[in-house]
Amino acid sequence: DSAMLAIGDILFLVGLTLTIGVSRTVRFFSRPDRIRGIVAFFGGVFLVMIRWPVFGMMAQVYGLIYLFGQFFPIAAESMKDTPVIGDFFRLPQVEQFFATFSGGGSSSRRAPV
């Protein structure tokens, strides 16, 4: 249901704002180097709101990967220490997959927000 997706989009933005603060949220979504992801994400939100949920969700997923892609290797590195799924994240194929998201080496890893 597209109404539920639209509510989820609004709650995601509200949750992000409450988590990192208003000024950092505005700064995060106004960076010129991430304009492609910003347009894709908010374009997807708009498409969901006008009841085109499939195309909207595809645009949102692309936008979120573009915006938060730098964070995936950091999260994967943290998941290696968890008891049950840590072995999965230590597999060479999984490590290589998450390494494709990072732009630089391990010294330049920083959360995107």
Side-chain angles (χ1 to χ4, degrees), residues 1 5 10 12 20 22-24 27 32 35 47 53 55 65 72 75 77 80 96 107 112-113:
D1 187 41
L5 289 173
I10 292 168
F12 171 76
I20 65 173
V22 175
S23 64
R24 289 186 77 180
R27 193 170 55 215
I35 194 72
L47 288 174
F55 296 112
I65 289 173
F72 294 152
E77 194 69 32
K80 288 180 184 177
Q96 185 179 12
S107 63
V113 178

Side-chain angles (χ1 to χ4, degrees), residues 5 11 20 28 34-36 43-45 71 73-75 80 85-89 95 102-103:
L5 289 173
L11 290 176
I20 65 173
F28 179 74
R34 296 188 179 150
I35 194 72
R36 184 184 302 172
V45 170
F71 182 67
I74 298 169
K80 288 180 184 177
I85 59 173
D87 293 332
F88 173 75
F89 282 95
E95 286 181 343
S102 63

Side-chain angles (χ1 to χ4, degrees), residues 15-96:
L16 183 67
T17 303
L18 290 175
T19 302
I20 65 173
V22 175
S23 64
R24 289 186 77 180
T25 302
V26 170
R27 193 170 55 215
F28 179 74
F29 283 113
S30 62
R31 290 183 55 180
D33 60 325
R34 296 188 179 150
I35 194 72
R36 184 184 302 172
I38 295 165
V39 169
F41 178 74
F42 284 109
V45 170
F46 176 74
L47 288 174
V48 167
M49 298 260 187
I50 63 168
R51 299 194 181 269
W52 285 24
V54 174
F55 296 112
M57 288 301 295
M58 289 190 315
Q60 285 177 357
V61 166
Y62 174 78
L64 286 176
I65 289 173
Y66 195 87
L67 289 171
F68 293 101
Q70 295 172 331
F71 182 67
F72 294 152
I74 298 169
E77 194 69 32
S78 298
M79 297 300 272
K80 288 180 184 177
D81 297 331
T82 59
V84 177
I85 59 173
D87 293 332
F88 173 75
F89 282 95
R90 286 189 205 100
L91 292 173
Q93 297 87 357
V94 176
E95 286 181 343
Q96 185 179 12

